[in-house]
Amino acid sequence: MLIKATRLRASAGAGALARHLSDADDNEAVEIVQGAIADLDDAVADARRFGRSYSLRHFIIAPQVEMDRRQFHDVVGMLGAEFGFDPATPLIVAHTKARAVADVAAQHWHVVVPETDPATGRVLSSRFDHARHEKVARQVEILFGHPIVAGAHDLAVLAAL
């Protein structure tokens, strides 16, 4: 399983990400599972109000093996526990399309979380984020019996687990 994330700058706004998430031309199917695209603009406004550099955290979850909706929500819960967000708050979009790599699931998910808490101004943790993405991915692979994917941070993940 691949889990990666990018942080979007507040100065850039949410337009490009909103277009990508909604793009039905590049995907066979686009489904908004939770939240609304308009939530992205609210997160950008909150980050700007608190003077934060980043407004959104965009996680991409791409499993090798097809996952059902319950399993996927378990993954979002694990990411929430790892990075400090409520799994009920993100915008979640499912994309289905033929993959360029063989033996990879056709569906992948986008989970977009506000970087800034709108009430407190607190920012999501981003320390050692690549290793933490891999840690959650390895936990999910073990939990659901998926093939284990080697990553660049295997030693750190092993130490954390």
Side-chain angles (χ1 to χ4, degrees):
M1 166 173 292
L2 254 172
I3 298 176
K4 64 181 182 176
T6 56
R7 300 173 75 198
L8 281 77
R9 292 198 167 274
S11 60
L17 178 59
R19 285 187 296 280
H20 171 71
L21 294 175
S22 304
D23 186 5
D25 292 336
D26 193 35
N27 297 286
E28 294 169 17
V30 174
E31 177 188 1
I32 296 179
V33 176
Q34 177 178 296
I37 297 292
D39 296 343
L40 301 178
D41 289 329
D42 292 340
V44 170
D46 290 335
R48 289 176 178 167
R49 182 168 49 96
F50 282 103
R52 304 295 185 225
S53 296
Y54 295 96
S55 58
L56 297 163
R57 179 90 46 98
H58 174 207
F59 292 94
I60 299 171
I61 302 169
Q64 277 192 288
V65 177
E66 296 292 339
M67 293 183 358
D68 63 32
R69 190 63 57 89
R70 181 196 57 77
Q71 290 173 326
F72 171 71
H73 280 290
D74 288 347
V75 176
V76 174
M78 293 167 76
L79 284 170
E82 182 66 36
F83 289 95
F85 66 85
D86 179 354
T89 61
L91 166 64
I92 301 173
V93 178
H95 282 173
T96 304
K97 65 179 176 181
R99 305 302 294 203
V101 178
D103 299 327
V104 177
Q107 190 169 55
H108 66 277
W109 286 273
H110 298 268
V111 177
V112 186
V113 182
E115 279 273 342
T116 305
D117 182 292
T120 65
R122 181 180 173 274
V123 176
L124 283 183
S125 170
S126 62
R127 295 188 69 202
F128 307 107
D129 60 343
H130 296 293
R132 292 164 73 191
H133 300 156
E134 286 188 23
K135 180 178 102 175
V136 172
R138 298 304 82 81
Q139 289 173 318
V140 170
E141 290 163 351
I142 292 166
L143 181 65
F144 299 136
H146 292 192
I148 305 294
V149 176
H153 303 283
D154 283 346
L155 293 177
V157 169
L158 185 59
L161 295 175

